[in-house]
Amino acid sequence: MPRLHHNHLPTGLSQEQAAARRADVVPVEIPSAAFEALAAARVRMISVVPVNGALLAAPRRHHDEDISHAVLADGGPVLAADEFDAEIIGPQFFVSSLNNMSGHYQPSADGLAIAHRAFETAGISVRPDAINSYDWEAP
């Protein structure tokens, strides 16, 4: 089984959920019309792959509120947590940048590979040069 990543900042979850409510941000599934609208607006996004294997996304920041990965996962463990940019070329959506930056979950490179596969499974191609892995265990 893939490694689970747990929320390293659980005490802030209620405040983070309140910030998301103030910003009218709710997690959206990928693929969905709501995701397509965010991608069309060229919004920087975050996503998680919770243990059920879904791919959920939200804007990284909206109405002056930062949205955390923990909000997307309701504070629970995830297989992957990342930031990404999407673009549209014709009818096709692409991930143009993808990294594993999440201070809440500090996901491994394995988690980034899971996110990559989740996007591809959802029909969203990830450009080969889009992936940038952060090493949370480096000094």
Side-chain angles (χ1 to χ4, degrees):
M1 173 155 179
R3 177 179 168 199
L4 288 179
H5 302 282
H6 297 276
N7 183 1
H8 293 275
L9 304 168
T11 58
L13 182 62
S14 61
Q15 293 90 349
E16 293 161 355
Q17 290 170 323
R21 282 191 298 276
R22 283 192 303 272
D24 293 321
V25 170
V26 295
V28 300
E29 289 189 43
I30 299 174
S32 69
F35 163 72
E36 291 178 10
L38 290 171
R42 301 186 142 257
V43 172
R44 177 97 173 137
M45 291 180 257
I46 58 173
S47 71
V48 298
V49 178
V51 294
N52 69 4
L55 180 56
L56 304 174
R60 178 70 190 100
R61 186 169 176 77
H62 193 63
H63 295 303
D64 295 324
E65 298 283 358
D66 288 323
I67 308 304
S68 80
H69 290 94
V71 167
L72 298 180
D74 201 25
V78 300
L79 300 171
D82 58 81
E83 294 180 331
F84 72 99
D85 292 301
E87 63 183 58
I88 306 166
I89 299 176
Q92 182 65 41
F93 291 87
F94 294 89
V95 170
S96 56
S97 72
L98 176 66
N99 68 57
N100 57 333
M101 293 296 292
S102 170
H104 283 73
Y105 289 100
Q106 300 178 5
S108 64
D110 291 345
L112 189 55
I114 288 170
H116 181 178
R117 283 193 302 275
F119 278 104
E120 295 281 341
T121 299
I124 313 296
S125 297
V126 177
R127 292 181 180 242
D129 62 346
I131 299 172
N132 185 15
S133 181
Y134 181 79
D135 183 0
W136 288 99
E137 296 176 10

